[in-house]
Amino acid sequence: MNFKNRIINACQLAVCVYIALYSLLASWFLPEFTSQLYDNARFFELIYLILLAIFVVIFPTCRQQTLHSLQLIPHSIRFGLGVFLLLALCSALNAQYPEEALKEVSLFILLFIFGGTCQFLSHLNKTRVDSLFTASVVFGTLLFDCHFIVNYLAAMTVNLPFSWITPFVSFSNVRFFNQYQAYTLPLLAIPLMAFKLPLRWRVVAMIILVLWWALHFATGSRSVWFALIVTALFLLSFLRKKTASNVISTEPKNIEQAYRWLAWQLLAMLIGGFVYWVFDYLSLDPTAHGLSSIAQRGLHDTGRIPLWKSAWTMIKSHPLLGIGPMNFGFNDFSMAAHPHNSVLQIAAEYGLPAALISIYLVITLLKKSVVWCKTSANSDDSQINISLTASLVCGLSDAMLSGNIIMPQSQMILFMVSGWLIGRNQSLVTTIRVAKLWQTLIFVVVVLMVVGIQLTGINKYYNYLENKQFSFTDYLTPRFWSNGHWPVEESK
């Protein structure tokens, strides 16, 4: 290997480690820029994405690789993404608050660059990415488990109530933690299914998965339970492998591999449920949480139906371009900053055409993921594909009852898993096609504009915090900052 190739390989490894580092840190570590956990999570996400985008622009090899990853995407998908971004831009410029809308659009462009980078890295060396990304998720959840235990024991030691709603450990709200769980819970089965680990490490991996399930029981999320049921039905329904009656298949059937994933999750759920029962039995914390919290709420909509009706009214009033990205919260300050349904949110804010395109893109990805699960070259590949597909199905199902596509930790893991799944299943192309000059210029200009918009927004908000001494009485925060809500009393 010559010196140039070594430099390229080192850059690729550095970017791979940099991306993996986010999922390791996101669930338990936040920089203390503000007094709000949610704002710290947003700052952390933006700093991470901006540094990655700048790195991609500055280094020609990374820039060419990112552009090449776009060329690997089928033409119809590239066209759909292009039209969606064009509609988003038009919607933002037509919005009541275009500055806020442009921040949202620029954030999603940064996320697409992030996902594209994950895609190319996985395409180039899926063995490295599989190991590194899986390890980052597994140890990130382990660190959060330790963080939770320390926080809970500390609260009990000083005889203070432990907050099961907001704040929740390192998340500003327990539901943001649940949204992150919806994507990560399916991934934790990968070490048990696809990696040939020694017994002691398999036991460690199982303990981490069990603790994650115990936390799922303890935090009482109904939407994630719904998403897990949908995921199980999806795998059982779409991973059936039809074999001709006169053909004897030597490959493990995909439905059997789906059963294997479900079996590990079911075992972890049962043990995790027992751990939760012991914890709930021994705990002296009187705060409602876990299964008792679910029983109290039952099938109550918890304010979702009025939000959905409000979104539907916006869709009927602005069917073509919507009211503008991130403008939902400006229309009724007494309500949440998003309708707790991602399809309604996109339709209300971006317009019906953009919503239809996004539905088409998601369905296309899920259809391709089923094909990849069925046609994987070996059982390990198939098992990783099944876990990644389950992660997407679970997270996107949860998004029908929450806003996980716009919350910092969950939206990052969504784009990471999507790029990871797409990249590892694309046909290997070792020769990178050099992008034309005009393509490179457009890419650089767009990235610099997006980074400029985000840096301007960060600087404005940070200066506001310093001038107001962290007061949140008059800053417009439909969902980008300050927990994504406009407090009710401020709207009166």
Side-chain angles (χ1 to χ4, degrees):
M1 183 183 294
N2 57 38
F3 181 74
K4 181 180 179 180
N5 288 337
R6 289 179 179 177
I7 294 296
I8 292 173
N9 190 55
C11 287
Q12 292 168 352
L13 179 59
V15 175
C16 192
V17 171
Y18 178 79
I19 291 174
L21 199 60
Y22 181 86
S23 57
L24 178 67
L25 300 175
S27 64
W28 65 279
F29 169 80
L30 292 175
E32 296 182 357
F33 288 136
T34 78
S35 60
Q36 299 286 318
L37 288 172
Y38 179 85
D39 290 354
N40 289 328
R42 184 67 78 188
F43 268 118
F44 189 42
E45 175 193 31
L46 292 177
I47 291 170
Y48 224 84
L49 292 174
I50 288 170
L51 290 176
L52 177 64
I54 292 174
F55 184 86
V56 168
V57 167
I58 290 177
F59 289 92
T61 301
C62 294
R63 186 171 63 244
Q64 289 296 333
Q65 290 175 347
T66 303
L67 289 169
H68 179 62
S69 69
L70 295 175
Q71 296 172 354
L72 293 175
I73 299 174
H75 176 73
S76 60
I77 304 300
R78 288 205 310 271
F79 179 77
L81 287 172
V83 174
F84 179 87
L85 291 175
L86 180 61
L87 289 171
L89 180 60
C90 294
S91 177
L93 296 175
N94 193 51
Q96 181 182 4
Y97 295 94
E99 181 181 350
E100 302 298 323
L102 286 173
K103 283 199 300 186
E104 182 88 338
V105 175
S106 62
L107 171 61
F108 272 94
I109 293 175
L110 287 175
L111 287 166
F112 283 127
I113 295 172
F114 173 73
T117 306
C118 294
Q119 172 195 340
F120 184 83
L121 292 171
S122 182
H123 170 73
L124 201 64
N125 192 331
K126 68 179 180 181
T127 302
R128 171 196 291 170
V129 170
D130 287 345
S131 302
L132 195 55
F133 283 11
T134 301
S136 68
V137 172
V138 170
F139 286 105
T141 58
L142 174 61
L143 288 171
F144 181 87
D145 289 334
C146 296
H147 195 184
F148 169 83
I149 293 170
V150 170
N151 274 259
Y152 186 82
L153 292 178
M156 295 300 101
T157 301
V158 297
N159 199 28
L160 288 176
F162 180 80
S163 174
W164 286 98
I165 300 297
T166 180
F168 180 73
V169 194
S170 57
F171 288 79
S172 65
N173 190 289
V174 70
R175 300 305 163 225
F176 301 156
F177 169 72
N178 295 142
Q179 292 164 13
Y180 180 77
Q181 268 197 318
Y183 290 100
T184 53
L185 193 56
L187 298 178
L188 295 181
I190 293 178
L192 299 168
M193 295 175 59
F195 297 151
K196 296 177 175 60
L197 299 175
L199 179 59
R200 61 183 180 277
W201 288 113
R202 292 174 67 82
V203 171
V204 170
M206 187 63 181
I207 291 173
I208 294 171
L209 179 56
V210 164
L211 291 176
W212 215 232
W213 268 104
L215 278 175
H216 176 53
F217 275 97
T219 52
S221 170
R222 294 174 297 170
S223 62
V224 179
W225 278 113
F226 164 79
L228 288 166
I229 293 171
V230 171
T231 303
L233 294 176
F234 180 92
L235 295 179
L236 294 175
S237 300
F238 293 102
L239 291 188
R240 295 187 180 277
K241 182 176 179 182
K242 295 181 179 180
T243 306
S245 58
N246 60 341
V247 176
I248 300 176
S249 176
T250 58
E251 295 286 336
K253 294 184 178 180
N254 295 96
I255 190 65
E256 293 175 359
Q257 295 188 30
Y259 281 147
R260 187 180 177 192
W261 182 88
L262 289 168
W264 278 113
Q265 293 288 359
L266 180 61
L267 178 61
M269 182 187 74
L270 293 175
I271 302 175
F274 176 76
V275 172
Y276 161 73
W277 178 80
V278 172
F279 165 78
D280 194 48
Y281 180 77
L282 297 176
S283 174
L284 300 177
D285 189 349
T287 311
H289 64 275
L291 297 182
S292 59
S293 171
I294 293 178
Q296 289 176 10
R297 288 172 289 159
L299 297 177
H300 193 271
D301 66 282
T302 319
R304 285 178 173 83
I305 292 178
L307 289 171
W308 295 344
K309 290 180 178 178
S310 178
W312 180 243
T313 301
M314 297 175 193
I315 293 169
K316 290 189 292 185
S317 301
H318 303 82
L320 186 59
L321 292 176
I323 61 171
M326 208 167 69
N327 273 240
F328 182 90
F330 288 119
N331 283 263
D332 189 344
F333 294 153
S334 65
M335 304 181 76
H338 59 88
H340 286 66
N341 181 293
S342 295
V343 173
L344 289 177
Q345 176 198 318
I346 295 172
E349 293 188 338
Y350 294 77
L352 281 173
L356 293 174
I357 291 173
S358 64
I359 291 172
Y360 164 75
L361 293 174
V362 169
I363 291 176
T364 301
L365 176 57
L366 293 180
K367 287 175 63 177
K368 290 294 294 183
S369 66
V370 170
V371 173
W372 292 330
C373 288
K374 291 182 176 181
T375 59
S376 300
N378 58 65
S379 59
D380 289 348
D381 265 358
S382 180
Q383 289 157 7
I384 294 176
N385 285 339
I386 287 172
S387 297
L388 294 174
T389 300
S391 174
L392 287 179
V393 173
C394 190
L396 294 173
S397 298
D398 175 76
M400 295 299 98
L401 298 168
S402 74
N404 73 43
I405 66 167
I406 57 172
M407 297 307 167
Q409 289 98 334
S410 53
Q411 70 179 187
M412 286 285 283
I413 200 75
L414 165 61
F415 279 85
M416 187 185 86
V417 170
S418 299
W420 181 5
L421 176 62
I422 294 170
R424 73 184 313 278
N425 289 285
Q426 289 176 318
S427 300
L428 184 60
V429 179
T430 55
T431 303
I432 299 177
R433 289 180 291 178
V434 178
K436 297 178 181 178
L437 179 61
W438 66 270
Q439 293 174 323
T440 302
L441 288 176
I442 290 176
F443 177 76
V444 171
V445 169
V446 169
V447 171
L448 292 178
M449 289 177 61
V450 163
V451 169
I453 291 171
Q454 290 299 332
L455 289 176
T456 301
I458 291 173
N459 181 65
K460 180 180 177 181
Y461 183 62
Y462 189 73
N463 288 333
Y464 169 83
L465 295 180
E466 288 192 328
N467 295 334
K468 296 293 182 179
Q469 297 180 343
F470 297 98
S471 171
F472 293 87
T473 57
D474 59 354
Y475 196 85
L476 302 183
T477 56
R479 68 166 173 259
F480 216 72
W481 305 111
S482 188
N483 216 30
H485 281 267
W486 184 292
V488 176
E489 58 270 17
E490 294 175 15
S491 65
K492 296 179 180 179

